[in-house]
Amino acid sequence: MAAGGVAPPRPPTSPRWRRGGARRPSTAGPKMAGSAESELAPEPEQVVEALELLLRPPAGPGERDGGAEPGPESALRPETLLSNAAALEERLRLVPAWAALRGLRRAVLSRAPALAAGAAGESDPGWAIACGLLALLLCLKERLAALAAAPPAAACGAGAAPPPSADTLSVAQGRSVGRALRAAVGLGLVPYLPPGVGQRPGPPATPPAPPAARGARLHATTVALAELAEHPALGGPLLARHLGLLLAGLCLLGHGPAAHSQGVSEAERARCRETLRHVLDRVYQPLAVRELLVLQGRPKQSPPSPVEETKPALVQAPAWLRRLCGQLLSERLMRPNGVQAVVRGIMEGTGGGAGAEAAAVDWRKCDTVAKILASCPQQCLSLEDYYRLVCPQILDLLHIQDKLTARQFQRVATTTVLTMAKEHPQLAEKHLLQPLLAPLLRCSETAELAVEDLSAGTVLVTEAELGSCVEDVLKVYVVGNDSSSLLLGSLQSVLGVVFSLYSFAKQNVSYLRSPCQEILLWFLEKSEREESLAVLEGFAGLNSSVSALHPQCRFRAGSEGGATIAVEETISDEDEALYQKVSLEQSRVENLVELLSHCQKSGLAGDFFIRCLKALTCVAAEDEASSNLAAVPGGSLLELEQYHAAQRRKLLVLQLVATLCESVSDTVFTDIVQVEEFVAATLQRACVSPARGPGAAAETQTLAMAMGLVAAMLGGAVQLQSGDFAVLKRLVPLLEELSRTYPEPLTQELAADLRIAICTHGAFSSGTVGAAADGVLGKKPETGVQSPASTPGGAPGPGGGQAPPQQSRSSPSAPRERSEEQSVSHEAVTAGPAPAPCADSLAPAGLQELLVSAYDPQPPSRAAALRHLASLITQRDPEALRLQEKLLQVFLENIQHEDAFVYLSAIQGVALLSSEYPERILPVLLARYGCPVRGTEDTTATITRMKLGEVLMRVTRALGDVVFKHREPLVQAFLRGARDPDSTLRASSLSNLGELCQRLGFQLGSIVHEVTSCLTAIAKTDPEAEVRRAAVHVVVVLLRGLSEKATEVLQDVLRDLYRLLKHVVVAEPDGATVLHAQLALEELDAVMRRVLFPPQTLEKKIVVLP
């Protein structure tokens, strides 16, 4: 606008009426082209001045005429209005410059006889002023329309702001027009509305005119205001502030009782109805909805809220108006984007409240809007047509991006979906749930989609579509938290795809991991336990309760952190296809176990573990039954397929049990019932398939641990109640059968004693029960009774003989199942893995007993012994330190054990022993790290050397600054490891080298040339991307750790490192390696910038002169 003050002065051709109240000189400005009457046409500023004159308040003492500030129209008295009208008429009649305005007003009044009659009347000053204001406003509308139709003004100079349009009002003029509109509505519209129709708070005013004239006056005012609303400059403030009153007048004239429309013809009423539709269609729809709701008023049966009780009472809207507003609101709802208009009309302005009361009001409004959207209006002929129209718009509410309103809109959408699902399940599933789940259903294995006809690489679901679908499912199902059968059933149809997406996100960096996990956990928690267990079995591939991802579809990483679903190219190589299938199954089982780790408190993980053990019993029974038959059935092709399917299921069960035993925590069982079911499953398997053959030792140990668990509970490890004994009595038949049929006498005796102890509620307990309990709790029995779980041979004598080799195992899952079942059941009774170490020095016999236990076939007992030995080293026990070489031998041999609990305990012991005697132990460790033990396989040797690398790193951490003394042997050992044929060991050695450099403070000395040469050769020539990645990562660690010191410490090799990084960025095919190199280059660039351009600091120096 021209009043801005920052733009240059306007040229003489620019109209000045937009900049203020001064009139434009007759010689300035362009004339209206081709019109002789433009010389006599009034300027808009003159019309605005007439409006201000008509509404001018009386001048106070000491003020000039018209110098008072405009006040509210209610402060104008009738005599003031009459005085202002007389002054306006006098100026129009006597001032020659106002003749054009007088002529324009006469022409406007000639087209509106009702306004002309009202302006000339003197009996009702309010109505006369209203008619005068409306006439002047109509004049202003005509002048603005004429100016807008005139040719545009000349363009401004270069760099100047573009001029506003010719019909633009200034700020002061807009304020004056707003006052005039308020006065016209207040004097010409409000007094003629009956009570309850568009009334504002306060007592109803007495109508100033007889009933016969009210309808005509209301019609004249409404028609004039509707005409003003057609112009943008006047319609904006009118519809923004007075839309409700205008709609009230149009509703009364077009649809109200005839008694309120006296003097209005039927044709005029029909035009009012058309005007009402036109106004509602062109205004901002949320504003129209809000004003219609205000007109409709509170329902008759709705009590006022505590906040409304303090406000002035409103007269209830009449029934005809409530019905009409309901119809108009329904029409707004059924328009395109009508749902969002209704929601915004009700919810806008409710998100800024503070406090619990405002939040509660917002939630109540959300639920109210949801009920409105879920109800089919009477205007809709078909319920299905209404759902077909409204449901897509309801789903669109879930995608609102505005953070201020998204929470409320999503709650409205979620509540609406849940309400519709309860009221009309079939329609809701068809029009809401199926479109919501469409991207996931599209790629499931049950989808009716001709994937075979699609070319490889075709994207079935885009990244944005899949991400939006998962987020919508999370909002509707998880946040809505309604566990109805319809919602659970619809979600179960896509759970397999969601689990596949969860597995994919676990292996990649994706934001979809967390929402997929929440969806899966919500379903497992809300469903019935049997249904949840069946779904878990479906995830593992044991049944078909869930529809998995289509076999020809695969997930791909998206560019925005999401995922896409595309058609996979068929793999022609059978070996590669088999590898992909096995890898997929392994990943699926691992992710399933990871998911179960979040379900332990609810008991679902324990129930699923027990079900898997029961399935394992069935596998054992089938193996027992099929041992007498041929290995492969010689029947039809169908029988052969069935045989292979059964074998696949057996392998899946074994793999699942092994992974569960390895990964679930010690709190998998939450009560005695689950422990009893676990023991019962183990006993049942022992009864069905007694321990025979190569796996007899593993089966015997598993059985001994289960029976020892019962013995520990009976021995007081947990407090048993009478109800717990009722649960344990379910084991009596199995123990009785075991005592009669099991081939091992000690196990038979223990089973019989346990049966007696359970039946007597622990009153009778033999020595075998106590010994079994001590074996589980990690204690050594005081008597000479041998545990039935122990196996003959294998422990070194006091002379320190070698430990026996590991027993042969026919099944790869059997040792893991055995060790972890023992660990889980052992921890289920809340017993520690080993007794607390004694502070006093152990006698040689006690130390020898620990050394014997370090070779115990049971991994928990072996690990407990190793940790006890480590604690003796920490306490500097003299007997233990005297046998440091023997202890080192025991620890190093146990490092080769496959059980994580055992070899981690051994690693801890070696690290503690090395930190105490680094001069003696470190050379032994470095020698073993450089040369593998003879007679071991390559894979086993590599794993053992990697474990030794972990030992060396723990030693360096424990030594602290003393590690500088052993710098060169350590660096040389890792450099030799970086040239090993095995790629995994090479990557591990480089990782250890990087950490060692950090521990040394990057003070490598003269061997820095060897390190950089090795890193350069590996980064350029190593065939494995993982190894090259590790080499570049070491360079990144060096540059980051040294920072500004890199130019000093690495000054001789800095150029070589820079060339290496540039070579990697240009020639490296692996993306992760390139990323590491780019990070290193950025770090180097930052270092050089800080060295070449140090930050300038302003310092104040005070020099004391002599």
Side-chain angles (χ1 to χ4, degrees):
M1 296 180 64
V6 295
R10 295 180 181 273
T13 58
S14 177
R16 294 177 54 198
W17 65 269
R18 289 191 292 265
R19 303 201 305 271
R23 295 189 58 188
R24 183 182 64 180
S26 58
T27 58
K31 296 181 174 51
M32 299 180 64
S35 175
E37 296 179 357
S38 62
E39 297 284 350
L40 303 177
E43 294 292 340
E45 61 179 3
Q46 196 175 62
V47 183
V48 174
E49 185 177 354
L51 290 173
E52 294 176 349
L53 179 61
L54 195 57
L55 296 176
R56 182 179 58 186
E63 296 178 352
R64 296 180 300 171
D65 185 23
E69 288 294 330
E73 290 72 34
S74 59
L76 298 177
R77 298 181 178 180
E79 53 269 21
T80 304
L81 295 175
L82 291 176
S83 174
N84 292 341
L88 177 62
E89 291 295 334
E90 182 179 1
R91 182 172 295 189
L92 289 173
R93 185 175 65 256
L94 299 178
V95 179
W98 287 54
L101 178 58
R102 183 176 65 250
L104 181 59
R105 191 182 72 159
R106 186 184 306 112
V108 169
L109 291 177
S110 65
R111 297 193 298 270
L115 296 181
E122 299 180 356
S123 59
D124 190 350
W127 172 243
I129 295 299
C131 293
L133 289 170
L134 291 172
L136 290 176
L137 289 171
L138 290 173
C139 293
L140 179 62
K141 172 184 174 296
E142 289 198 6
R143 289 305 303 139
L144 293 178
L147 288 174
C156 300
S165 59
D167 59 344
T168 304
L169 296 175
S170 66
V171 176
Q173 291 167 350
R175 191 181 303 115
S176 300
V177 170
R179 291 185 63 243
L181 288 172
R182 288 197 300 271
V185 172
L187 297 174
L189 184 61
V190 173
Y192 306 103
L193 292 175
V197 181
Q199 290 292 329
R200 296 297 184 257
T206 303
R214 295 175 195 168
R217 291 185 178 183
L218 180 63
H219 179 263
T221 304
T222 305
V223 170
L225 292 175
E227 185 176 352
L228 293 175
E230 296 294 330
H231 194 276
L234 302 177
L238 174 62
L239 297 177
R241 295 177 178 269
H242 312 291
L243 176 62
L245 293 172
L246 178 60
L247 294 179
L250 292 173
C251 290
L252 183 64
L253 293 172
H255 300 274
H260 297 291
S261 303
Q262 296 182 13
V264 182
S265 64
E266 190 61 34
E268 291 174 338
R269 297 192 66 180
R271 283 195 293 272
C272 288
R273 289 192 288 270
E274 294 178 1
T275 304
L276 174 64
R277 305 283 180 181
H278 177 68
V279 170
L280 287 175
D281 290 342
R282 66 183 292 257
V283 298
Y284 180 55
Q285 290 302 299
L287 178 61
V289 171
R290 186 162 62 247
E291 294 298 337
L292 288 174
L293 288 173
V294 173
L295 284 179
Q296 190 178 33
R298 187 176 61 246
K300 186 175 182 180
Q301 66 275 13
S302 174
S305 63
V307 180
E308 294 175 345
E309 290 180 352
T310 60
K311 299 179 180 179
L314 291 174
V315 181
Q316 186 179 1
W320 66 268
L321 182 59
R322 293 198 302 271
R323 289 193 299 269
L324 175 62
C325 290
Q327 296 174 3
L328 295 176
L329 285 171
S330 299
E331 293 177 1
R332 299 302 100 192
L333 174 63
M334 300 183 65
R335 284 169 56 90
N337 297 324
V339 171
Q340 191 171 143
V342 171
V343 176
R344 289 188 180 274
I346 300 176
M347 302 302 301
E348 278 184 349
T350 64
E357 182 179 355
V361 170
D362 288 350
W363 293 127
R364 285 199 297 267
K365 283 192 175 183
C366 292
D367 296 340
T368 302
V369 176
K371 293 179 181 177
I372 293 174
L373 297 178
S375 302
C376 179
Q378 298 179 355
Q379 288 86 345
C380 190
L381 300 179
S382 171
L383 181 63
E384 186 166 0
D385 292 341
Y386 174 74
Y387 271 61
R388 186 183 299 109
L389 176 66
V390 171
C391 288
Q393 301 183 44
I394 294 174
L395 296 179
D396 289 339
L397 295 179
L398 297 169
H399 307 145
I400 299 296
Q401 300 297 327
D402 186 9
K403 294 182 179 180
L404 297 177
T405 58
R407 182 172 59 91
Q408 295 176 339
F409 278 54
Q410 291 169 7
R411 178 174 176 83
V412 170
T414 300
T415 311
T416 306
V417 172
L418 300 180
T419 306
M420 288 182 167
K422 290 180 181 178
E423 295 180 355
H424 304 285
Q426 296 180 352
L427 293 177
E429 183 178 9
K430 178 180 179 181
H431 298 287
L432 278 175
L433 300 181
Q434 289 185 359
L436 179 68
L437 304 173
L440 299 176
L441 292 171
R442 193 183 311 159
C443 55
S444 66
E445 60 183 0
T446 59
E448 296 180 0
L449 184 66
V451 182
E452 294 79 4
D453 298 335
L454 298 177
S455 59
T458 303
V459 177
L460 296 181
V461 182
T462 62
E463 180 181 5
E465 190 177 7
L466 184 60
S468 176
C469 176
V470 173
E471 292 177 356
D472 292 348
V473 171
L474 180 68
K475 295 170 187 175
V476 173
Y477 289 86
V478 181
V479 179
N481 198 22
D482 187 352
S483 56
S484 63
S485 58
L486 174 63
L487 293 176
L488 291 176
S490 61
L491 183 58
Q492 186 175 354
S493 62
V494 297
L495 274 184
V497 182
V498 175
F499 180 74
S500 300
L501 179 58
Y502 169 74
S503 302
F504 173 80
K506 287 284 292 182
Q507 299 174 357
N508 299 271
V509 179
S510 176
Y511 68 91
L512 297 176
R513 180 191 310 170
S514 179
C516 288
Q517 177 177 311
E518 293 185 30
I519 292 170
L520 296 171
L521 292 178
W522 179 85
F523 180 88
L524 296 175
E525 177 186 355
K526 297 300 179 180
S527 299
E528 296 292 336
R529 182 54 57 92
E530 287 298 323
E531 186 175 359
S532 299
L533 294 175
V535 168
L536 290 174
E537 289 182 345
F539 290 162
L542 298 178
N543 61 25
S544 58
S545 59
V546 294
S547 299
L549 187 69
H550 197 280
Q552 291 191 358
C553 295
R554 286 295 179 268
F555 291 102
R556 294 181 179 177
S559 59
E560 302 295 331
T564 61
I565 303 178
V567 179
E568 184 188 28
E569 184 178 359
T570 304
I571 302 177
S572 57
D573 189 0
E574 295 183 358
D575 294 338
E576 180 66 20
L578 179 60
Y579 173 77
Q580 293 287 346
K581 182 178 181 181
V582 173
S583 300
L584 181 62
E585 291 181 353
Q586 178 68 24
S587 173
R588 182 170 58 190
V589 171
E590 292 176 354
N591 293 318
L592 175 60
V593 174
E594 172 67 21
L595 187 67
L596 280 173
S597 65
H598 302 280
C599 305
Q600 297 190 23
K601 292 184 179 180
S602 62
L604 180 61
D607 291 343
F608 184 69
F609 183 57
I610 293 169
R611 174 167 288 201
C612 292
L613 290 179
K614 293 180 179 178
L616 189 62
T617 303
C618 297
V619 170
E622 292 175 1
D623 290 341
E624 186 73 16
S626 61
S627 61
N628 300 324
L629 302 177
V632 178
S636 63
L637 183 60
L638 178 61
E639 293 177 351
L640 186 61
E641 291 180 356
Q642 292 176 352
Y643 172 79
H644 286 303
Q647 293 299 317
R648 177 181 175 275
R649 175 181 172 82
K650 292 178 182 179
L651 292 176
L652 278 176
V653 170
L654 292 172
Q655 182 185 17
L656 189 59
V657 171
T659 309
L660 283 170
C661 293
E662 182 179 0
S663 303
V664 294
S665 76
D666 51 6
T667 58
V668 62
F669 296 140
T670 57
D671 52 21
I672 298 296
V673 176
Q674 288 187 334
V675 175
E676 180 272 331
E677 292 182 354
F678 162 70
V679 176
T682 306
L683 297 180
Q684 181 70 28
R685 188 167 67 252
C687 294
V688 171
S689 177
R692 286 192 294 267
E699 291 292 340
T700 303
Q701 292 168 8
T702 305
L703 177 61
M705 182 57 69
M707 298 174 68
L709 179 59
V710 179
M713 289 191 295
L714 293 173
V718 293
Q719 295 295 329
L720 296 177
Q721 307 296 330
S722 59
D724 298 334
F725 280 102
V727 174
L728 292 177
K729 285 183 178 179
R730 303 173 188 171
L731 301 175
V732 172
L734 293 173
L735 290 171
E736 183 178 1
E737 182 180 356
L738 201 66
S739 64
R740 290 186 292 101
T741 60
Y742 201 76
E744 191 177 38
L746 292 176
T747 303
Q748 291 182 359
E749 180 183 359
L750 179 58
D753 293 341
L754 286 176
R755 182 176 61 86
I756 297 174
I758 292 174
C759 294
T760 59
H761 287 204
F764 173 80
S765 179
S766 64
T768 55
V769 176
D774 291 339
V776 171
L777 297 177
K779 302 176 183 179
K780 285 299 172 181
E782 298 179 359
T783 62
V785 179
Q786 186 183 11
S787 172
S790 60
T791 54
Q802 296 293 331
Q806 297 292 329
Q807 299 178 2
S808 61
R809 297 171 175 87
S810 59
S811 173
S813 65
R816 182 64 57 195
E817 174 201 347
R818 179 199 67 216
S819 62
E820 294 300 328
E821 279 183 5
Q822 293 168 354
S823 177
V824 170
S825 58
H826 162 63
E827 294 292 339
V829 294
T830 66
C838 181
D840 300 330
S841 174
L842 286 180
L847 184 58
Q848 291 296 336
E849 187 176 0
L850 284 177
L851 292 175
V852 171
S853 298
Y855 294 98
D856 195 294
Q858 297 185 13
S861 300
R862 178 181 291 203
L866 293 174
R867 290 188 176 271
H868 200 163
L869 290 173
S871 67
L872 293 179
I873 298 173
T874 305
Q875 298 170 11
R876 303 186 65 83
D877 184 85
E879 290 295 333
L881 297 181
R882 186 174 59 85
L883 298 176
Q884 55 180 278
E885 295 182 0
K886 178 61 179 177
L887 293 180
L888 177 61
Q889 178 185 359
V890 171
F891 286 138
L892 291 178
E893 290 177 355
N894 278 280
I895 282 179
Q896 303 178 22
H897 198 277
E898 62 180 4
D899 191 278
F901 195 28
V902 174
Y903 72 72
L904 287 177
S905 302
I907 287 175
Q908 180 185 7
V910 177
L912 291 173
L913 196 61
S914 302
S915 60
E916 293 290 337
Y917 302 99
E919 301 293 341
R920 302 178 185 177
I921 307 300
L922 266 181
V924 177
L925 296 179
L926 291 173
R928 292 215 175 193
Y929 184 78
C931 299
V933 180
R934 295 181 179 179
T936 58
E937 298 180 359
D938 293 341
T939 305
T940 305
T942 301
I943 295 175
T944 303
R945 293 175 68 186
M946 292 173 63
K947 295 174 183 177
L948 289 173
E950 174 64 22
V951 173
L952 292 174
M953 295 318 302
R954 292 195 183 191
V955 172
T956 57
R957 299 186 198 111
L959 289 178
D961 295 338
V962 185
V963 75
F964 283 94
K965 185 177 180 181
H966 310 279
R967 176 181 61 185
E968 294 189 5
L970 287 171
V971 173
Q972 291 173 2
F974 292 139
L975 288 178
R976 286 194 299 269
R979 308 301 295 175
D980 193 84
D982 189 273
S983 62
T984 307
L985 183 60
R986 295 201 301 272
S988 175
S989 300
L990 290 173
S991 177
N992 295 336
L993 180 62
E995 185 176 354
L996 178 62
C997 293
Q998 290 180 329
R999 298 294 172 185
L1000 293 173
F1002 304 98
Q1003 299 180 16
L1004 300 179
S1006 59
I1007 58 176
V1008 66
H1009 296 279
E1010 300 180 25
V1011 174
T1012 54
S1013 299
C1014 179
L1015 295 177
T1016 303
I1018 291 176
K1020 289 183 177 180
T1021 62
D1022 198 283
E1024 297 294 333
E1026 183 181 10
V1027 183
R1028 299 195 303 271
R1029 193 181 309 162
V1032 177
H1033 178 68
V1034 175
V1035 179
V1036 177
V1037 170
L1038 286 173
L1039 294 177
R1040 284 184 178 174
L1042 290 172
S1043 188
E1044 284 85 356
K1045 297 181 181 180
T1047 55
E1048 301 176 5
V1049 178
L1050 303 176
Q1051 59 180 350
D1052 297 334
V1053 297
L1054 196 59
R1055 184 181 62 178
D1056 298 335
L1057 293 179
Y1058 175 75
R1059 291 177 176 176
L1060 168 65
L1061 295 175
K1062 294 295 290 184
H1063 170 78
V1064 171
V1065 171
V1066 174
E1068 175 60 45
D1070 182 58
T1073 309
V1074 173
L1075 177 61
H1076 284 306
Q1078 291 174 344
L1079 293 176
L1081 287 174
E1082 292 177 2
E1083 188 68 28
L1084 185 59
D1085 179 72
V1087 169
M1088 297 307 300
R1089 287 180 182 274
R1090 288 195 294 268
V1091 172
L1092 297 176
F1093 309 104
Q1096 298 183 1
T1097 57
L1098 299 179
E1099 298 180 355
K1100 181 184 292 184
K1101 291 185 178 180
I1102 301 176
V1103 180
V1104 180
L1105 297 177

